[in-house]
Amino acid sequence: MVSRADLHCHSTFSDGRLTPTELVDLAYHNGVRILSLTDHDIVDGLPEAFEAAERYADFTLIPGIEMSTDVPGNEVHILGHFIDWHNPAFLDRLSHLQESRLNRARLMVEKLQQLNKPVSWERVQFFAGEGAVGRPHIALALMEARHVSSVNEAFDLYLSRNGPAYVPRDRLGPEEVISLLVDVGGMATLAHPRELLAAGGLENLLESLRAAGLTGIEVYYQDYLPEEIDTFRDLASRYGLIPLGGSDYHGLGGPQQREPGDIPLPIEPVQKLLALAEERGALDRARIAHSR
Ligand code: AMP
Ligand code: ZN
Ligand code: FE
Ligand code: FE
């Protein structure tokens, strides 16, 4: 089933394989008519995405971002939709995050050297291109150097949170990031909650995140099973959160990958998000389809 909406995708401006233009084109050809580009801790791909969206009369593009945060023992990713991505204080925060991503990636490359799995910093930078550097770029360098045969293997052996080459990013708490997003007029959504549910304490976290201004939770995501979708939809309804979703398309392959739009996200929650954006005066930050 292909949904008309996909609220979570990456481009070359973070760790996606497609440029924003290629992503917009692929999503459109898959039947997606409402898309959000949500690169990791960066908004620099948005101008190109908006330009690409202009070529389709019946296409809505929502400015977005996915911000990485940490809680003890786990990573929490928060999506921000309809953010005022020109806000200077916000951009300043993001450029500090870029810098800390760079330092952290260098430390990971040093650790790999010590593990006798050397990759060159130049190749990591090459894979990162103009955008935010992340672990998937190091994974690609590990593959190229034939230390691993896939991105997933690179994570399993070295780069996952408990892996020997892992270095944490600068720690931001999810509540702090939600405030940051709400301050720039964004709607904040908890991304891919499966691991958080498995770790326990998701309900306490939701309580705290909602108090900080969270308005959505990702319910329809990649390979989430119907039973999991039911569980998260139930949580959404109990905590008054909009049950949103996205493919988290990166274009890097792997068994969990879904194409843009290849998620069972119904249109009603997406319309709720648009209504909330309208209520908060944020709708004009999106490029709205001329014919909807
Ligand atoms: P970073 O922001 O540098 O910490 O990298 C996070 C990104 O790495 C996520 O957005 C995923 O795309 C990717 N990632 C995390 N864990 C895995 C994994 N086990 N296998 C493949 N990709 C992963
Ligand atoms: Zn990513
Ligand atoms: Fe994520
Ligand atoms: Fe993502």
Side-chain angles (χ1 to χ4, degrees):
M1 171 188 170
V2 169
S3 175
R4 284 175 58 78
D6 191 330
L7 300 174
H8 185 170
C9 284
H10 297 273
S11 78
T12 46
F13 283 83
S14 62
D15 51 7
R17 196 180 50 85
L18 300 187
T19 65
T21 306
E22 289 165 343
L23 175 69
V24 165
D25 287 349
L26 176 61
Y28 188 87
H29 288 291
N30 284 358
V32 173
R33 293 295 176 268
I34 303 175
L35 180 76
S36 187
L37 175 63
T38 54
D39 275 318
H40 296 285
D41 303 324
I42 193 166
V43 292
D44 297 8
L46 290 173
E48 183 184 325
F50 277 107
E51 211 176 298
E54 276 309 312
R55 296 170 301 143
Y56 301 111
D58 55 344
F59 191 74
T60 291
L61 183 78
I62 298 169
I65 191 165
E66 177 177 22
M67 298 195 66
S68 305
T69 78
D70 292 86
V71 291
N74 241 318
E75 234 175 84
V76 174
H77 289 186
I78 306 287
L79 297 167
H81 295 118
F82 287 101
I83 45 172
D84 174 12
W85 53 285
H86 298 291
N87 180 290
F90 184 62
L91 290 173
D92 192 54
R93 283 302 287 272
L94 295 186
S95 76
H96 281 104
L97 289 177
Q98 299 315 318
E99 215 174 285
S100 86
R101 276 183 169 278
L102 268 176
N103 294 333
R104 175 248 200 169
R106 278 183 191 280
L107 290 174
M108 292 181 79
V109 166
E110 277 172 28
K111 277 198 166 183
L112 285 168
Q113 175 83 41
Q114 287 157 17
L115 291 165
N116 219 5
K117 304 289 169 195
V119 296
S120 84
W121 176 243
E122 286 66 35
R123 293 312 291 163
V124 173
Q125 277 192 310
F126 168 80
F127 288 119
E130 59 221 306
V133 61
R135 281 179 286 165
H137 304 122
I138 302 176
L140 290 171
L142 278 166
M143 252 173 91
E144 187 182 61
R146 297 181 180 270
H147 298 311
V148 296
S149 59
S150 70
V151 167
N152 279 335
E153 192 185 328
F155 274 87
D156 289 346
L157 295 181
Y158 306 110
L159 304 175
S160 69
R161 201 180 172 86
N162 301 315
Y166 180 74
V167 176
R169 277 169 290 97
D170 267 6
R171 294 188 184 285
L172 288 176
E175 291 87 356
E176 182 185 0
V177 160
I178 290 169
S179 306
L180 205 69
L181 293 169
V182 170
D183 281 351
V184 290
M187 261 64 79
T189 289
L190 175 64
H192 41 70
R194 179 193 273 162
E195 287 71 24
L196 297 170
L197 181 71
L202 178 58
E203 298 220 18
N204 288 339
L205 181 69
L206 284 180
E207 196 78 61
S208 161
L209 299 190
R210 209 174 62 118
L214 191 78
T215 46
I217 178 170
E218 211 167 36
V219 167
Y220 307 91
Y221 179 80
Q222 286 186 352
D223 55 347
Y224 281 16
L225 301 167
E227 307 88 86
E228 293 181 283
I229 290 176
D230 283 348
T231 301
F232 292 126
R233 206 170 25 210
D234 177 56
L235 277 174
S237 121
R238 282 199 285 126
Y239 285 87
L241 300 169
I242 309 176
L244 296 172
S247 62
D248 202 1
Y249 179 77
H250 281 75
L252 295 174
Q256 73 283 4
Q257 181 179 285
R258 293 292 179 280
E259 291 291 299
D262 187 11
I263 30 144
L265 169 62
I267 201 67
E268 292 78 16
V270 181
Q271 279 161 348
K272 267 196 189 165
L273 179 74
L274 293 173
L276 186 60
E278 185 153 35
E279 204 178 294
R280 295 188 180 179
L283 200 60
D284 60 2
R285 292 195 197 114
R287 189 273 182 180
I288 303 292
H290 302 315
S291 54
R292 227 187 343 141

